[in-house]
Amino acid sequence: MKKITLLFITLLCFYTGAFAQSDYVKEHFTKKEVYITMRDGIKLFTAIYIPKDASPQNKYPVMMQRTCYSVAPYGESKYPPRLGPSEYMMKEGYIFVYQDVRGRWKSEGTWTNMTPVIDDKKSKKDVDEGSDTYDTIDWLIKNVENNNGRVGQWGISYPGFYTAAGILSNHPALKASSPQAPISDFFFDDFHHNGAFIEGYFFTFPVFGVQKKDTTTKAWYSMLNAGTRDGFQFLLDLGPLKNADKYYHDNFFWQETVNHPSYDEFWQKRNLPKHYGKVKPAVMLVGGWYDAEDLTGPLAIHRAIEKSDPNAYNTIVMGPFGHGRWSRETGHTMHSSVYFGDSVATFYQKNIEAKFFNHFLKGNGDKNSGLPNAYMYNTGKKDWETFDKWPAPNATHQKLYLGADGKLANSQPTAGTSMSFVSDPLKPVPYTEDNSTTMGFTPHNYMSEDQRFAGRRTDVLVYETDVLNDDVTLGGEIMAHLKVATTGTDADWVVKLIDVYPPNEQNNPYMTNKSIILSNYWQMVRSEVMPARFRNSFEKPEAMVPNQKTDINFRLQDVLHTFKKGHRIMIQVQSTWFPLIARNPQKFVDNPYKADESDYIKATHSVYDDSFIDVEVLK
């Protein structure tokens, strides 16, 4: 129970951005707890915090968050240390509303992950997060005194998904929506990357795969007791994924994951971006360039809305943050060992987030908010940049070829040769050197960690440029176009984009790990995995033909990063990335979750020198 309570407190503090705020909330807000009835009769528990100076002459807009992580503290006499997205917005004055979504905590109903969208609702029984958002807003506007008729919604991570799905409510009072680190599609976000299972999430399944029996204020699930702090060894000793049934045989989300190994109807129904059409509220997507959980979400949803409704107010913000880290100020903004400046989260909260909501909920609400289409942090220059459109239309495509001599070059080699390595799933490449991070709720620091430990292994291919004579800024999408072969019949292909620091790089004074040196540091900038089984279709996996040259094409997600003069650009290619990514047996099986131990085989992989990485360069 101790571990459950600790996890609950951690989630609550993170998703509310809680910090010591004395009795400010209690002194300035009146708390009410209500059940709001949805159209199908299910009642959702809702906590409402109303400014004490609200009156018919001083009305406030509503700021709402819907969450699966609890709206605690429960009880009208109990107050959280902070309200809203930031301290600044709390003190500017809003009516803050928090709601447990259906099937969670004190709300009624049945829980499902990433509730499928029902576009054509034919009866009151056809409910989804859009309808629950609509019904909640409708009740709030009609029943909470002294509101000004305008509602904003925000949330980070899973609450970000509920915010993104809430856009589809189309309630006329919903004027501003900010999905932050939202999940957009579980086959490409969070629990999978391009269909590859994120085994680093293994310990989280109790939170998402156990139904509660009644409304409750206490955690009803039990976390797995691994008996170790070394997640790498625990998951390696676990063996094939089918052995996880001894822990999760009655976990409905684990069973759903195991029984849907391809992009079938189960996952397709949880593809949120395809449902956007005409978008009514102003939208601000927010993400972190080093978000190990939901980097895909904000980029995918922004892209989808730009396509479905070019006239919508649709802006995106990407900062130098890990998952949700923009919600609280740390002073010196760090990710792993990389320092990005001071008070970066404060700048975002005051000059971007508060400005957005104030304009649409308190101001005239037109499209002239003073914010650009894209507010993006350049992680190489370490400064904010603004764009009228993202990706920037003035970017030029450039191909970086993976030469068999280890050179990363702008022109295609003429030799027609390849580099090879032996991949052994029983001796996988670790995704991090820091074992202390392998037992957490989800991975974090690896997104910018030093990659020297990986590049010096024989089962990782390394390609790099000469020392750069000028700055090179990559801004936009990255596509990997690999030409490969294997002696097996399946393989995962991992590509990492890396910034190689010069030998004279000095450590910054805020590094917590004093054993790391930034001299010749290999900072990961972007990375992604692609299972070969899905190279032609995520719905219909195919085996590779042994020793046959094969195309593997996939997206690495966007970047905005300046590789400075004196640095090098590096690409690493590998096939295991453990335990972030579950090990590919390298023998094609219909369902990798049910592979036998004998299916895990060594294989020799080859990468041909006409392989290239397509990047967008900004001048």
Side-chain angles (χ1 to χ4, degrees):
M1 188 64 194
K2 189 174 182 181
K3 289 192 174 183
I4 300 173
T5 304
L6 179 60
L7 174 64
F8 168 65
I9 291 172
T10 300
L11 289 172
L12 178 63
C13 290
F14 177 77
Y15 291 107
T16 62
F19 65 97
Q21 185 63 38
S22 64
D23 293 323
Y24 183 90
V25 177
K26 188 174 183 178
E27 292 170 355
H28 292 82
F29 292 85
T30 299
K31 182 180 181 181
K32 295 182 178 181
E33 294 183 339
V34 300
Y35 273 99
I36 300 177
T37 303
M38 301 295 101
R39 64 190 65 183
D40 63 345
I42 294 296
K43 296 179 175 63
L44 303 188
F45 183 84
T46 309
I48 304 169
Y49 299 85
I50 304 169
K52 288 185 176 180
D53 63 350
S55 68
Q57 293 75 38
N58 187 32
K59 295 184 177 183
Y60 287 98
V62 175
M63 278 291 290
M64 179 176 69
Q65 180 179 105
R66 305 183 66 246
T67 180
C68 58
Y69 294 126
S70 168
V71 303
Y74 295 99
E76 290 189 344
S77 63
K78 296 181 179 179
Y79 288 77
R82 197 186 86 177
L83 296 172
S86 71
E87 178 183 3
Y88 306 102
M89 288 190 62
M90 175 180 69
K91 292 185 175 180
E92 285 178 0
Y94 288 85
I95 298 168
F96 292 104
V97 175
Y98 293 85
Q99 184 177 77
D100 288 331
V101 298
R102 63 171 62 215
R104 301 293 280 188
W105 300 93
K106 288 200 72 174
S107 285
E108 299 176 349
T110 302
W111 157 257
T112 186
N113 283 286
M114 275 198 83
T115 312
V117 175
I118 302 173
D119 289 319
D120 184 17
K121 297 177 176 65
K122 297 179 180 179
S123 75
K124 290 185 177 181
K125 293 184 178 180
D126 290 337
V127 294
D128 56 17
E129 301 308 333
S131 66
D132 283 357
T133 301
Y134 187 100
D135 294 348
T136 300
I137 292 175
D138 209 54
W139 189 94
L140 292 170
I141 292 299
K142 294 174 181 177
N143 292 277
V144 177
E145 292 183 349
N146 302 317
N147 74 81
N148 72 354
R150 299 186 192 183
V151 177
Q153 187 174 1
W154 95 102
I156 297 172
S157 194
Y158 229 136
F161 159 73
Y162 294 117
T163 305
I167 294 170
L168 299 172
S169 71
N170 291 320
H171 197 289
L174 181 61
K175 301 299 183 183
S177 178
S178 182
Q180 302 182 11
I183 314 159
S184 62
D185 188 324
F186 258 163
F187 209 67
F188 302 94
D189 263 345
D190 265 330
F191 287 88
H192 300 86
H193 280 209
N194 289 322
F197 175 57
I198 306 296
E199 196 166 355
Y201 278 30
F202 184 80
F203 302 102
T204 72
F205 274 83
V207 179
F208 304 110
V210 179
Q211 295 285 4
K212 64 183 177 65
K213 295 179 180 178
D214 199 355
T215 58
T216 181
T217 62
K218 297 181 180 180
W220 59 95
Y221 45 81
S222 298
M223 303 304 290
L224 188 157
N225 183 2
T228 178
R229 292 183 295 165
D230 186 348
F232 182 101
Q233 195 61 50
F234 175 86
L235 293 169
L236 189 65
D237 291 343
L238 177 69
L241 288 172
K242 72 175 191 176
N243 294 339
D245 256 12
K246 64 183 176 183
Y247 299 110
Y248 293 150
H249 65 278
D250 58 351
N251 185 294
F252 74 85
F253 187 44
W254 176 255
Q255 296 303 324
E256 289 169 344
T257 302
V258 166
N259 291 312
H260 298 278
S262 302
Y263 196 52
D264 59 13
E265 183 183 10
F266 177 82
W267 299 115
Q268 291 173 20
K269 286 165 59 177
R270 288 161 173 79
N271 175 355
L272 182 61
K274 71 179 182 181
H275 294 282
Y276 291 109
K278 187 73 174 177
V279 173
K280 291 183 179 180
V283 177
M284 183 176 75
L285 279 304
V286 181
W289 286 128
Y290 301 109
D291 188 341
E293 298 182 42
D294 299 302
L295 174 62
T296 300
L299 294 165
I301 294 174
H302 177 74
R303 192 181 299 117
I305 294 176
E306 289 287 282
K307 183 178 180 180
S308 71
D309 188 359
N311 295 319
Y313 184 98
N314 178 38
T315 189
I316 185 168
V317 182
M318 297 294 294
F321 304 110
H323 188 64
R325 298 303 172 95
W326 51 88
S327 68
R328 58 196 187 279
E329 182 56 71
T330 57
H332 309 303
T333 304
M334 299 282 295
H335 190 271
S336 188
S337 297
V338 184
Y339 170 61
F340 292 103
D342 289 347
S343 305
V344 180
T346 296
F347 177 88
Y348 157 76
Q349 292 170 11
K350 293 179 67 174
N351 299 290
I352 302 176
E353 183 177 53
K355 187 174 185 178
F356 170 77
F357 281 115
N358 285 343
H359 178 77
F360 288 102
L361 300 182
K362 294 184 175 183
N364 63 24
D366 62 13
K367 290 186 177 181
N368 299 316
S369 67
L371 295 171
N373 175 269
Y375 223 130
M376 316 297 261
Y377 194 93
N378 186 318
T379 53
K381 284 185 177 178
K382 300 180 179 177
D383 201 4
W384 291 99
E385 297 185 15
T386 60
F387 298 85
D388 294 331
K389 190 175 180 61
W390 185 265
N394 64 331
T396 59
H397 286 266
Q398 184 173 315
K399 296 178 181 179
L400 301 176
Y401 284 92
L402 309 184
D405 58 356
K407 292 288 187 181
L408 191 62
N410 295 331
S411 57
Q412 182 175 343
T414 58
T417 54
S418 64
M419 290 177 70
S420 300
F421 64 97
V422 176
S423 176
D424 184 353
L426 300 184
K427 296 181 180 178
V429 181
Y431 78 91
T432 179
E433 281 189 299
D434 185 359
N435 278 339
S436 69
T437 67
T438 59
M439 292 290 295
F441 193 70
T442 54
H444 174 58
N445 286 333
Y446 84 94
M447 293 281 284
S448 67
E449 276 184 346
D450 187 2
Q451 297 301 302
R452 281 176 283 197
F453 77 95
R456 290 167 180 167
R457 289 176 56 118
T458 58
D459 50 359
V460 177
L461 301 183
V462 177
Y463 308 85
E464 65 178 335
T465 64
D466 293 329
V467 174
L468 299 177
N469 294 320
D470 299 289
D471 288 357
V472 175
T473 299
L474 303 188
E477 298 177 350
I478 302 174
M479 288 292 298
H481 297 272
L482 303 184
K483 318 289 184 179
V484 303
T486 179
T487 57
T489 51
D490 199 4
D492 287 344
W493 298 93
V494 177
V495 173
K496 299 186 291 192
L497 172 68
I498 294 164
D499 186 342
V500 179
Y501 291 15
N504 62 352
E505 186 79 19
Q506 298 297 306
N507 282 13
N508 67 70
Y510 311 115
M511 295 167 61
T512 56
N513 189 341
K514 302 303 180 183
S515 67
I516 292 176
I517 56 171
L518 296 185
S519 171
N520 199 42
Y521 191 82
W522 294 7
Q523 181 201 334
M524 190 154 74
V525 175
R526 186 62 68 243
S527 54
E528 192 54 282
V529 60
M530 181 66 194
R533 63 191 294 112
F534 295 131
R535 65 192 181 280
N536 294 321
S537 168
F538 288 104
E539 296 88 351
K540 298 178 181 179
E542 300 174 41
M544 295 184 73
V545 178
N547 302 310
Q548 179 175 299
K549 190 175 180 181
T550 304
D551 289 347
I552 307 289
N553 303 312
F554 60 101
R555 185 198 306 273
L556 268 73
Q557 300 307 329
D558 301 16
V559 295
L560 178 59
H561 186 89
T562 296
F563 294 80
K564 293 184 176 180
K565 177 182 178 181
H567 289 224
R568 297 173 186 258
I569 302 174
M570 175 185 287
I571 296 290
Q572 289 183 3
V573 179
Q574 60 199 64
S575 278
T576 52
W577 208 17
F578 188 77
L580 179 68
I581 303 295
R583 295 167 298 149
N584 189 312
Q586 302 191 147
K587 173 185 176 182
F588 183 85
V589 293
D590 290 334
N591 187 338
Y593 293 97
K594 298 181 180 181
D596 294 322
E597 195 161 348
S598 60
D599 293 324
Y600 289 77
I601 61 172
K602 287 184 183 180
T604 299
H605 300 329
S606 299
V607 178
Y608 291 87
D609 63 3
D610 52 348
S611 300
F612 64 91
I613 310 300
D614 185 278
V615 297
E616 294 188 85
V617 179
L618 295 176
K619 299 295 186 182

